[in-house]
C-alpha cells in the first residue's frame, strides 16, 4: 500500500492511496515475465481498478557485477487514474545493470495514447546502507520524437530519491518525487514535488 502512485514524477492516482500486487517469474535461461495490478482508493466509490502492467524480457549476465536485459512492457490505465481518460502505452527497452548503478532506454510508438514516438532514458542508483536499509535514486528524461505534439517541445525531467527499511517481513518506504513542467500527462493533480510513503511485503 502506498499513499500515491507516481509514474515518472506524475501522480496517476490523483494523489490517492493505491494497493499494488506484483507477480514475477524468472526462467533459468534468462527469460522473465511479470504482471502487476493496482487498485486506487477513490473519494466516493471505494477501491477501484487503476491500472495493470504486463512485462516480458530476457536478461543475460556479462560478468559477476554486470547484466544486460531487453524486453517489452504494456500498461493500461482506467478512467480512475489522474489522466483525463483511460489510456495505455507499449514500450520496448534495453538496459544495463551494475552493482550500484543501472541505466535503461525505452521507446514507445504510442505513449499514453498519443500517436507519436517517445523515448525515455533513466539512470537508477541503489545503495545498501545495511542488511535492512537501502537508498534508491532515479533520474529520467522523456522526449518526443519528430514533430511536437500535445505541447512537447523539450525534454521533461523527473527524479526520485527514496529509502527503504525492512522490519521483519515488511519493508517501509519513503520517497521524494520531483518533476519538471508537465506538458504531456494532463493529470488532474500536477504537483512538482511530492513525498510518497508506503509498505510492502513478499509472499
Amino acid at each position: 500500500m502506498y499513499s500515491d502512485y507516481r509514474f515518472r514524477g506524475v501522480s496517476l492516482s490523483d494523489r490517492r492511496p493505491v494497493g499494488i500486487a506484483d507477480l514475477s517469474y524468472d526462467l533459468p535461461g534468462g527469460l522473465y515475465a511479470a504482471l502487476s495490478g493496482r487498485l486506487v482508493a477513490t473519494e466516493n466509490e471505494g477501491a477501484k481498478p487503476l491500472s495493470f502492467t504486463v512485462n516480458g524480457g530476457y536478461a543475460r549476465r556479462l560478468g559477476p557485477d554486470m547484466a544486460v536485459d531487453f524486453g517489452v512492457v504494456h500498461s493500461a490505465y482506467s478512467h480512475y487514474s489522474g489522466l483525463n481518460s483511460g489510456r495505455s502505452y507499449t514500450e520496448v527497452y534495453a538496459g544495463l545493470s551494475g552493482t550500484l548503478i543501472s541505466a535503461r532506454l525505452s521507446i514507445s510508438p504510442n505513449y499514453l495514447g498519443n500517436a507519436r514516438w517517445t523515448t525515455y532514458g533513466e539512470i537508477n542508483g541503489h545503495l545498501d546502507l545495511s542488511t535492512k536499509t537501502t537508498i534508491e535514486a532515479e533520474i529520467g528524461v522523456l522526449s518526443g520524437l519528430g514533430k511536437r505534439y500535445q505541447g512537447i517541445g523539450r525534454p521533461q525531467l523527473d527524479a526520485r530519491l527514496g529509502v527503504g527499511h525492512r522490519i521483519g517481513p515488511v519493508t517501509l518506504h519513503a520517497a521524494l518525487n520531483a518533476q519538471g513542467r508537465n506538458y504531456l500527462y494532463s493529470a488532474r493533480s500536477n504537483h512538482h514535488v511530492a513525498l510518497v510513503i508506503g509498505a510492502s511485503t513478499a509472499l
Side-chain angles (χ1 to χ4, degrees):
M1 177 71 73
Y2 292 84
S3 61
D4 190 1
Y5 176 58
R6 292 265 157 176
F7 179 68
R8 296 174 179 173
V10 177
S11 174
L12 296 187
S13 64
D14 200 20
R15 296 191 300 147
R16 301 194 64 80
V18 295
I20 302 175
D22 297 319
L23 178 65
S24 62
Y25 186 72
D26 297 329
L27 293 173
L31 293 174
Y32 62 85
L35 176 67
S36 180
R38 306 169 190 90
L39 295 175
V40 60
T42 63
E43 184 174 1
N44 299 313
E45 301 180 59
K48 293 294 182 180
L50 175 66
S51 65
F52 75 89
T53 298
V54 291
N55 178 207
Y58 173 77
R60 180 182 178 88
R61 284 197 172 276
L62 302 179
D65 299 319
M66 188 69 66
V68 63
D69 74 308
F70 309 88
V72 59
V73 58
H74 177 79
S75 292
Y77 295 89
S78 73
H79 65 276
Y80 294 102
S81 71
L83 301 168
N84 286 339
S85 61
R87 295 182 179 180
S88 64
Y89 77 96
T90 301
E91 283 183 334
V92 294
Y93 60 82
L96 189 65
S97 303
T99 303
L100 299 177
I101 298 177
S102 63
R104 175 176 284 186
L105 179 65
S106 305
I107 300 176
S108 174
N110 64 337
Y111 191 67
L112 293 177
N114 293 277
R116 297 288 184 180
W117 290 74
T118 60
T119 63
Y120 184 76
E122 58 186 293
I123 297 176
N124 298 274
H126 177 96
L127 178 63
D128 292 324
L129 296 181
S130 69
T131 57
K132 294 184 177 181
T133 304
T134 61
I135 291 180
E136 296 181 345
E138 178 266 335
I139 185 168
V141 181
L142 175 69
S143 300
L145 298 179
K147 296 180 180 179
R148 295 185 180 188
Y149 66 99
Q150 296 232 351
I152 283 190
R154 56 179 180 266
Q156 299 182 35
L157 304 176
D158 68 89
R160 183 178 62 86
L161 179 62
V163 60
H165 182 71
R166 183 166 53 85
I167 302 176
V170 176
T171 300
L172 304 179
H173 305 272
L176 192 64
N177 296 259
Q179 63 156 141
R181 188 175 179 184
N182 183 343
Y183 295 97
L184 175 62
Y185 295 92
S186 299
R188 294 190 294 269
S189 297
N190 183 16
H191 293 247
H192 297 305
V193 179
L195 176 65
V196 177
I197 59 175
S200 65
T201 187
L203 300 179

